[in-house]
Amino acid sequence: SLNGPAQALQLLIFLGLWSCAHVGLNITMTELLTKHSPRGVESVGSDSESNTAGRVKASNSFSLLAKLSLFLGCSCGVASLVLLQTSSRHAILRDLAVEEQHIYIVRHGDKYSSYPPCSSSTGKPCYDKELMGDNPPLTECGIQQAQYTAKYLQQNAPGSIKHIVVSPFTRTLQTALPLAKDLRLKLNVEYLLSEARQPEGPFRELNILAPAPTVSQLEDVESLWNLQYGSPPIRTPENGTLYVERVKKAADVLKDRFPPSSGNLAIYTHATTSLSVAYGLCYGLTGSDAKLKEVVEKKDPIAPAGFIHVVLDAQGNCKKLGQTQNVADGVCADCRTEPYKCKFQDCKSWYWKYAGGSGECLCK
């Protein structure tokens, strides 16, 4: 089956050339058979001349029809290529080239735990900690933000996204779902992308007692879960040392499992993990304390359903680590999940191992 516009283009070119070659061969064989076919016993005089003239006329007529067929066959092939000169031609040409890989590292949308506890609030939404634990789902606002970012990536990404890899937490799975459904992609669930510094893994991963929209989305997630993608749980309870070890491994695993030749990639994770992974993909092997300080200080806080755009060349080297893009910021007026960033001076090893030592860590 075809996998992308590049293969479709190759098929159309092949069909056009095959059509021309096939009709051309038919013309050649037909003319050879006409010229060398046995004529049988011919009558003499005017009857013989009449038979010869008829054969010549028939041969010329057939040759003209065959050449007309050749022209039409080739024209169809050329027309197929001309039809590709539409608004999608840029995406097709980009897919044919494998000079770089675009990676979008997306934070989850607005979550229930950003709201007051249900026991002290009569408004909605509210956070039911007993029901949701440390794995709160998206609010209605968060669902809308996820849909918005999915459409934004489809409309603005240079080339189609080929793979989705996602943290196992409910809010990240929900945020990845709209893009997976639109592009008909499987969800590669990667535990190395989990929330930072958690005491345990995600609470009730497929929580059937969650709000109805969450349960419905989790059923869709289950149907798109890539069962061939294996990822073991992370070590918990996770402290700062375990976290920086884990995100280094995450960057290495992602580069190994999704090299530039595999195509563009969307990664759905959490606020802290998003910048850690972005740094690791670009500077995990070559970075320094000075580079870590520079990257963290230049980055804007990442808002719900915002993302960081990383570009790697064909060899996996970093060409670009873009500024945070909070494209879904204005989707909801009442979003309670704030943009997040840990300032470098507040915890030097918050995102990545700082060789000079972290010192006192003030971030949460």
Side-chain angles (χ1 to χ4, degrees):
S1 61
L2 292 180
N3 183 20
Q7 288 177 307
L9 177 58
Q10 292 170 355
L11 177 61
L12 285 170
I13 293 172
F14 169 78
L15 290 176
L17 294 175
W18 180 87
S19 176
C20 293
H22 180 70
V23 177
L25 179 61
N26 283 343
I27 291 173
T28 303
M29 295 301 295
T30 301
E31 290 186 342
L32 286 173
L33 290 172
T34 301
K35 290 179 180 179
H36 299 288
S37 61
R39 299 185 179 186
V41 180
E42 295 181 356
S43 58
V44 295
S46 60
D47 287 342
S48 176
E49 294 174 0
S50 175
N51 289 340
T52 301
R55 280 194 301 272
V56 171
K57 183 177 181 181
S59 175
N60 290 340
S61 297
F62 187 85
S63 178
L64 178 62
L65 287 173
K67 289 174 181 176
L68 179 60
S69 298
L70 174 62
F71 171 77
L72 291 175
C74 293
S75 296
C76 287
V78 173
S80 297
L81 298 180
V82 171
L83 287 174
L84 293 175
Q85 303 303 311
T86 62
S87 59
S88 64
R89 66 186 182 277
H90 299 297
I92 293 170
L93 293 175
R94 280 191 295 266
D95 279 357
L96 286 173
V98 288
E99 295 179 356
E100 59 187 24
Q101 179 187 36
H102 294 264
I103 302 174
Y104 302 91
I105 308 170
V106 188
R107 184 191 178 189
H108 59 78
D110 185 48
K111 59 181 180 177
Y112 272 95
S113 58
S114 299
Y115 291 79
C118 292
S119 58
S120 63
S121 174
T122 56
K124 295 227 184 228
C126 65
Y127 175 41
D128 187 337
K129 188 171 184 179
E130 182 178 352
L131 173 69
M132 301 173 180
D134 67 347
N135 193 18
L138 296 184
T139 63
E140 181 58 38
C141 172
I143 292 173
Q144 293 175 21
Q145 291 170 333
Q147 292 168 343
Y148 184 91
T149 297
K151 295 299 183 187
Y152 182 92
L153 291 178
Q154 292 175 76
Q155 293 168 3
N156 294 278
S160 57
I161 292 170
K162 301 298 185 183
H163 301 282
I164 297 173
V165 59
V166 56
S167 157
F169 283 74
T170 296
R171 55 191 178 274
T172 47
L173 292 167
Q174 287 180 279
T175 308
L177 184 62
L179 186 67
K181 292 175 74 172
D182 287 348
L183 298 180
R184 298 182 180 181
L185 294 175
K186 290 289 187 180
L187 294 169
N188 300 296
V189 181
E190 178 55 76
Y191 280 77
L192 291 170
L193 295 172
S194 295
E195 178 67 281
R197 299 169 172 86
Q198 294 297 294
E200 58 187 3
F203 175 82
R204 293 184 185 171
E205 294 187 61
L206 295 178
N207 191 347
I208 61 171
L209 300 179
T214 302
V215 174
S216 176
Q217 287 200 315
L218 288 175
E219 290 172 353
D220 290 340
V221 164
E222 187 177 12
S223 69
L224 293 174
W225 195 294
N226 185 2
L227 301 179
Q228 305 304 314
Y229 187 94
S231 175
I234 63 172
R235 292 178 289 172
T236 56
E238 186 177 69
N239 57 24
T241 300
L242 287 177
Y243 174 73
V244 295
E245 291 175 358
R246 189 246 297 181
V247 290
K248 181 182 184 303
K249 183 178 180 181
D252 293 341
V253 167
L254 290 171
K255 294 189 81 167
D256 181 61
R257 301 188 86 162
F258 302 97
S261 59
S262 69
N264 295 339
L265 175 66
I267 298 172
Y268 285 83
T269 184
H270 308 265
T272 294
T273 320
S274 60
L275 183 50
S276 297
V277 170
Y279 181 86
L281 290 173
C282 272
Y283 305 113
L285 296 177
T286 62
S288 63
D289 282 359
K291 176 57 71 173
L292 177 62
K293 182 175 185 291
E294 175 192 341
V295 169
V296 174
E297 289 185 341
K298 285 185 176 180
K299 282 288 168 289
D300 290 339
I302 187 166
F307 65 87
I308 300 172
H309 181 197
V310 172
V311 183
L312 305 181
D313 66 18
Q315 287 72 47
N317 301 312
C318 188
K319 295 179 66 176
K320 173 186 175 182
L321 201 173
Q323 182 56 276
T324 307
Q325 298 187 53
N326 294 321
V327 296
D329 227 1
V331 170
C332 310
D334 55 350
C335 172
R336 292 284 188 92
T337 304
E338 297 290 336
Y340 181 84
K341 174 186 172 181
C342 174
K343 294 181 180 179
F344 185 76
Q345 65 267 25
D346 289 342
C347 190
K348 295 176 181 177
S349 288
W350 184 254
Y351 293 103
W352 200 261
K353 184 177 181 180
Y354 184 76
S358 181
E360 184 183 4
C361 193
L362 303 178
C363 296
K364 295 180 180 180

